[in-house]
Amino acid sequence: MTDRLIIALAQVNPTLGAINANLARARDVLREAPDADLILFPELFICGYPPEDLVLRPSFVAACRLAVEELAKDTASGPAVLIGLPWRDGEKLHNSMALLANGRIETLRHKFDLPNYGVFDEKRVFDPGPAPGPIAFKGVRIGVPICEDIWTEETCETLAETGAEMLLVPNGSPFEQNKDDVRLNLVVARVTETGLPMVYLNQVGGQDELVFDGASFVINADRSLAWQLPMFREEIALTEWRRGPDGWHCLPGEIVPLPEDEKETWEACVLGLRDYVLKNRFPGVVLGLSGGIDSAVVAAMAVDALGKDRVHCVMLPYAYTSRESQVDAEECAKLLGVRYDVVPIKQPVEGFLAALAPLFAGTPPGITEENLQSRSRGVILMAISIQFGAMVLTTGEKSEVAVGYAGLYGDMNGGFNPIKDVYKTEVYRLASWRNSLGRVIPERIITKAPTAELRENQKDQDSLPPYEVLDAILEGLVEREIPVSEIVATTGYDEALVRRIQHMLYVAEYKRRQAAPGVKITRRNFGRDRRYPVTNAFRDGR
């Protein structure tokens, strides 16, 4: 029995499916923390989280087990390890944590409460384990509830009742705005109920639409915050624990301030974009820089994520592109220091119009001609991507994505969208915040009226209500899923307007099904959280 433990918290960034690379990173951590008694890794670290249906491949599960068995050999003369992996036990497949010590896998604990809501589908691929008991390590009884196991009372209560002296919780908890406060309140509740100190260790890094923000922390039994690790970056923290008359206590360590508001959202978008590009091995990104707010913000995020040398901006002007927009786009590119090219689209647009002229004879011009401009731009950007290997970034924000104010196969072309889950009003706030760190977006881009410039004197508000109105309606329809009648009652907006926005939201589902993935920022992102049918005749009160 010991009265002192050094527990290393490995807030690290795995790459999903890169089992050997994740094994190598785990070995790096062992070398970085040779004085630790125990190193705690995040949930399913060896394979990355969430593995989705990949975990149904027997060869994948076998490779994960082999990697963990190899890592276990390193514990013969070094720190013990608690690491996450998928574990096959007969016909059952578990989301598990393995204790590696003395050169072997000493014991396992399986996740009991499998989440099946929002972005989570664990009941689809995993079997729940039995109610877990504590693990004996150096005479200390350690409870290891896994992520969702602490979101209800049962598992922690069971561990406390069966003699656990502390709770070490590995997590794969995705970011959403203000979730750090939710986690802290949850952990304080479990600590209060059990009387046990708790380590909350979270994964960090981007995985497709999800960003894992880290922000790991330690709460003592007296509900004091002993450690707070940073958001959005790796950190190895050596926490020191002492046994006293009232049980185990973590000595005070570093309390890192966490970003808030626009800084938090910006850093989440940047990390999600960076990891999507790097983990998928793209050499860089290319995007259309229109002189508008959305593409300027995405360009700035790309530079922050990848550096200016890996970002290529292209202005694609046509007859309706104002001189003002061309000047603003060029200035933005200069401020960011990126490569900037101008590729006029007059010839391809007029070529399409000429080819279609016999078919369109006698019909009035309209949205088709506008969409040809957008789609010509999309074709050119994809051609640049294919020729040079850079991934196209698409730049539509959540307000436009919600109501379908974007051209499928045109400005929706691309491999990733860092602002897909950011409403338009917040895009403006993000631009102003980023400029507060150093001007990278011309002020006129922030202050001028938004426009797609697909026809003479066009403004977004020709087709949409002001964005502060649109976003308030969408917040009710999307984030809160409240009835049209309640939105009308609480906002005072015209019922016909709210119904029109609901209709636009529903009929644009087919576009969203074909849209590029983008960073999850809100509680209800399109795709993983909010899953609506394309064919949908329902409307409130109809």
Side-chain angles (χ1 to χ4, degrees), residues 37 68 85 95 135 313 391 488 536:
D37 297 296
V68 169
L85 77 161
N95 177 341
I135 291 172
C313 291
M391 182 186 70
V488 172
N536 171 21

Side-chain angles (χ1 to χ4, degrees), residues 353 356-369:
L353 291 174
L356 291 166
L359 188 62
F360 287 5
T363 63
I367 194 169
T368 301
E369 286 76 11

Side-chain angles (χ1 to χ4, degrees), residues 116-121 520 523-525 527-531:
N116 211 56
Y117 58 87
V119 302
F120 304 107
D121 289 311
K520 170 181 163 63
R523 191 176 61 86
R524 295 277 290 168
N525 80 322
R528 296 189 72 111
D529 286 310
R530 185 184 184 277
R531 308 178 192 182

Side-chain angles (χ1 to χ4, degrees), residues 1 20 42 45-46 94 119 121 126 150 180 234 259 263 275 286 336 380-381 420 443 460 483 489 494 500 533:
M1 181 176 292
N20 289 334
F45 175 79
I46 203 66
H94 297 295
V119 302
D121 289 311
F126 288 117
I150 70 168
D180 53 309
E234 289 193 325
K263 179 177 173 61
D275 274 4
V286 59
L336 291 167
I380 290 170
L381 289 172
K420 182 180 180 180
E443 189 64 25
D460 287 6
D494 180 68
R500 181 167 75 90

